[in-house]
Amino acid sequence: MLDAVLAELGEHGYDGLTMEAVAARAGVHRATVYRRWDDVGGLLADVLDAAGDDAWQPPDTGSLTGDLAALNHEIQDALTAQPPIMAALIAASFRSEKAAHAQRRLWEDRYVRCEIVVSRAVRRGELPPHTDARRLLIASTAPLYHQLVLLRTPPDPHLPDDAARTAALAAAAGAFAESPPASGT
């Protein structure tokens, strides 16, 4: 069923995604789909939740810059894949509250999994202790989302490496140090 949702989403986007089309593609009666899911948002939420049930782990290239660049290449590949499933899921999260919640759960899972990239870099001496992993990961990946999703520019083959290098240099200089807890006055 979820494969049918992905196929329909990739071909027709969120606006063309219907319970009836998913049922037809999956080869089941539409009542079966409606019995399990109330609406398209529920279908999308399950697709996003299923994406978090994988065994994916961030790459380990032996360097922070290499790890961030490898992550960025994965992101660029996913954002530019045809059919454009990842972009369609991002767009759908703005139209469906269920999909938005599922998307937040997926991102939270991915950030937690990627914390190891920063931990390894700290152990190797590439980063200062107490580097904020999430802020570093966002800084490294944000240029890809900005260019490919917001500006909808063609993929730049140099951008994943350039963004990774810039974020790694900033992090090594302490730009993403965790803020000390606020003291009570």
Side-chain angles (χ1 to χ4, degrees):
M1 188 69 68
L2 299 182
D3 289 338
V5 175
L6 288 171
E8 286 294 315
L9 186 63
E11 285 180 26
H12 306 290
Y14 179 82
D15 290 329
L17 185 64
T18 66
M19 303 286 268
E20 291 75 14
V22 169
R25 187 177 287 260
V28 300
H29 193 274
R30 68 185 189 138
T32 304
V33 178
Y34 280 102
R35 204 172 13 256
R36 173 117 161 74
W37 296 278
D38 295 336
D39 57 18
V40 171
L43 285 168
L44 292 170
D46 277 4
V47 165
L48 287 160
D49 286 338
D53 291 338
D54 62 5
W56 179 87
Q57 291 297 313
D60 185 356
T61 67
S63 75
L64 175 63
T65 301
D67 290 353
L68 294 174
L71 284 169
N72 283 353
H73 281 283
E74 286 183 25
I75 290 167
Q76 182 162 284
D77 289 348
L79 286 171
T80 58
Q82 292 300 320
I85 300 295
M86 188 171 177
L89 286 169
I90 290 169
S93 74
F94 287 93
R95 308 279 298 280
S96 162
E97 194 59 36
K98 290 176 187 173
H101 288 299
Q103 180 118 276
R104 282 192 287 279
R105 288 191 299 271
L106 179 62
W107 285 120
E108 189 61 37
D109 171 72
R110 291 304 193 237
Y111 282 123
V112 168
R113 291 186 199 195
C114 286
E115 287 175 359
I116 189 72
V117 169
V118 174
S119 298
R120 290 187 304 235
V122 169
R123 282 194 306 273
R124 288 189 300 258
E126 294 176 279
L127 292 177
H130 309 294
T131 297
D132 186 317
R134 183 165 301 195
R135 288 176 49 217
L136 169 53
L137 292 163
I138 289 171
S140 178
T141 60
L144 289 116
Y145 289 100
H146 189 86
Q147 291 291 335
L148 298 170
V149 177
L150 297 178
L151 297 178
R152 300 180 66 182
T153 60
D156 174 350
H158 304 290
L159 183 59
D161 296 324
D162 292 346
R165 190 172 28 264
T166 300
L169 286 169
F176 304 112
E178 292 177 350
S179 302
S183 61
T185 331

